[in-house]
Amino acid sequence: MTTKAIFYHAGCPVCVAAEQQFATALDPQRYAVEIVHLGESKERLSEAEGYGVKSVPALVIADQPFHINFGASIEQLR
Amino acid sequence: MTTKAIFYHAGCPVCVAAEQQFATALDPQRYAVEIVHLGESKERLSEAEGYGVKSVPALVIADQPFHINFGASIEQLR
């Protein structure tokens, strides 16, 4: 069984670096990673905030938010 | 061949959560993760700073620093 992980980003340089080095580094045997571009999928901003995501890039693993460096705040994406 | 990754922490609650959900989530086939407690191994503070680590918990993958949420600054650990 795989655990759901969601990587939220906004296409920023910090986001791209985190996606390339980080979101792709998770063990595919254990984690199913969904990549969500919040700049393009604004309808998912509320979902991200519901997990406690304050800024991107962020990775939600098992419903827990982990902010990775800082690219942009959720407010800036609205 | 595995890529070297170093997880720097200081035993704080934010660090422990990141270690459990994050450092252990990396693909063991591709990443060899070393866990370093900077509160106990102060001699490695300079090494962490050399990678650009400003706060813990942080994960350095392929020499790139990724700060995960915020537990404590490097200055606070000196």
Side-chain angles (χ1 to χ4, degrees), chain A residues 17-18 21-22 24-28 30-31 59 61-62 64-69, chain B residues 17-18 21-22 24-28 30-31 59 61-62 64-69:
Chain A
Q21 281 292 347
F22 227 93
T24 62
L26 299 188
D27 185 351
R30 290 178 291 148
Y31 296 91
L59 189 64
I61 303 181
Q64 266 195 287
F66 294 98
H67 303 89
I68 304 162
N69 291 340
Chain B
Q21 281 292 349
F22 227 94
T24 62
L26 299 189
D27 186 351
R30 292 179 290 149
Y31 297 90
L59 189 65
I61 302 182
Q64 266 195 286
F66 295 98
H67 303 88
I68 305 162
N69 292 340

Side-chain angles (χ1 to χ4, degrees), chain A residues 43-64:
Chain A
E43 74 280 4
R44 296 190 65 174
L45 281 165
S46 300
E47 168 200 297
E49 283 181 314
Y51 285 122
V53 172
K54 309 274 188 225
S55 62
V56 290
L59 189 64
V60 171
I61 303 181
D63 298 347
Q64 266 195 287

